[in-house]
Amino acid sequence: MGAVSTAQSGIFALGTASHAYLEFDLRDSGDGARLVRAVSALREPRTTMGGVNLVAGFRPELWRAVAPADSPPDVTGFTGQVAGVDGFVMPATQHDAVLWLSGSAYDVVFDTARGAIAELRGLATVAEETSSWPYRHDRDLTGFIDGTENPSLIDAPEVALVPDGEPGAGGTVLLLQKWVHDVAAWESLPVERQERVMGRTKPDSVELADLPADSHVAATDQERFGDIFRRNMPFGTVTSHGTVFVGFSARQRRLSAMLASMAGLDGGVRDALTFYTRPVTGAYYFVPSTEALRRQVSGAG
């Protein structure tokens, strides 16, 4: 067996205070290989107190066309909307590449993002830009703790990364969505009702003993779909805000099955949380290993 593959380190770099997500579209569809090489060559600053973590991913079909040996065979882009019950829709807004930058403060993220955009300007345009930040340490803007069932950092690589010996080893499938909260509707609910929507207590995130079938916890039960590693973050302004869903998995089907369940497509009911927050973007990206990126830069891919 070959050498162990190394994941892009920013995937697991917890505790960063500022984030930016940049999604790019090719200017010319024929420049896919050039874009992959240019993104792969972006120099990640050393991780220090003032450093920035940079995670790069690509539309799965684009990455596969350029690096078939480093690509899982069955990963696809978010090319069709998820149409659920009650007219609920998760839109498909697939782009060609994504950069996720995170750091100790927004100024260094801002400068690094501007530099990356400048490097790619001739090949791609920024189609979607989102900035985010932690809220009360580990809560989302509903006031509930986010990521309660996340695996530990010891277990997260096993959950998130394609195993060694498989095509795409050391890489991961990223689901990136922006969810906008209906703040007025949510905050008009008594805390007890919010807890039944979530399926957890608000102060300390304990799962309810009488878990409602339509609760968010029931709809996203990882014992049914398989574990994922989440790096969700709040985004937006005081008057319009929500959650950036940032989910990593070694297997795309865990992510797609979770979305289908939330939309009520698995024979169940629609996730109660989707009555108070709605997705406005949706894309899948393949995030290659560092070795796969280096092969693109060296021309060995």
Side-chain angles (χ1 to χ4, degrees), residues 142-144 185-200 202 208 273:
T142 65
F144 281 75
W186 178 253
E187 294 185 349
S188 71
L189 298 178
V191 170
E192 293 79 11
R193 175 58 187 151
Q194 290 182 356
E195 290 178 336
R196 292 194 66 77
V197 168
M198 284 291 191
R200 292 186 177 277
K202 194 168 188 178
L208 299 182
L273 186 59

Side-chain angles (χ1 to χ4, degrees), residues 78-257:
F78 203 133
T79 54
Q81 67 180 20
V82 177
V85 298
D86 304 326
F88 175 69
V89 170
M90 296 184 185
T93 60
Q94 183 70 52
H95 300 292
D96 290 316
V98 65
L99 296 180
W100 166 32
L101 303 100
S102 62
S104 58
Y106 191 66
D107 56 353
V108 292
V109 171
F110 180 87
D111 285 342
T112 305
R114 289 190 68 198
I117 291 169
E119 287 289 324
L120 304 177
R121 184 169 289 129
L123 294 170
T125 57
V126 177
E128 186 78 35
E129 175 188 353
T130 308
S131 301
S132 67
W133 25 267
Y135 176 70
R136 297 188 183 182
H137 180 59
D138 57 2
R139 294 182 184 265
D140 70 20
L141 296 180
T142 65
F144 281 75
I145 295 172
D146 200 356
T148 300
E149 293 191 2
N150 240 6
S152 69
L153 281 181
I154 294 174
D155 296 328
E158 183 176 345
V159 166
L161 303 181
V162 176
D164 277 301
E166 296 185 16
T172 180
V173 181
L174 163 63
L175 170 60
L176 185 66
Q177 292 178 301
K178 282 168 52 173
W179 291 74
V180 176
H181 298 176
D182 185 339
V183 180
W186 178 253
E187 294 185 349
S188 71
L189 298 178
V191 170
E192 293 79 11
R193 175 58 187 151
Q194 290 182 356
E195 290 178 336
R196 292 194 66 77
V197 168
M198 284 291 191
R200 292 186 177 277
T201 58
K202 194 168 188 178
D204 48 10
S205 202
V206 175
E207 186 172 313
L208 299 182
D210 57 338
L211 188 67
D214 66 344
S215 67
H216 183 58
V217 168
T220 59
D221 181 9
Q222 294 186 46
E223 290 186 8
R224 290 166 57 202
F225 308 121
D227 289 330
I228 62 174
F229 181 59
R230 288 174 290 170
R231 294 292 310 275
N232 299 357
M233 276 287 159
F235 80 96
T237 65
V238 173
T239 55
S240 178
H241 50 252
T243 300
V244 183
F245 180 87
V246 184
F248 294 96
S249 178
R251 308 295 181 204
Q252 186 175 29
R253 63 176 176 270
R254 300 175 192 165
L255 297 162
S256 59

Side-chain angles (χ1 to χ4, degrees), residues 29-64:
S29 61
D31 280 340
R34 291 179 62 201
L35 178 63
V36 167
R37 285 194 298 272
V39 169
S40 300
L42 289 172
R43 298 185 64 83
E44 178 177 348
R46 296 296 179 187
T47 302
T48 64
M49 287 300 290
V52 174
N53 299 292
L54 187 152
V55 174
F58 304 94
R59 178 168 55 85
E61 295 84 355
L62 172 60
W63 175 253
R64 185 176 301 113

Side-chain angles (χ1 to χ4, degrees), residues 269-292:
V269 292
R270 178 176 158 191
D271 184 339
L273 186 59
T274 64
F275 290 93
Y276 303 96
T277 181
R278 62 185 176 87
V280 295
T281 69
Y284 286 112
Y285 296 98
F286 186 68
V287 178
S289 69
T290 57
E291 291 83 2

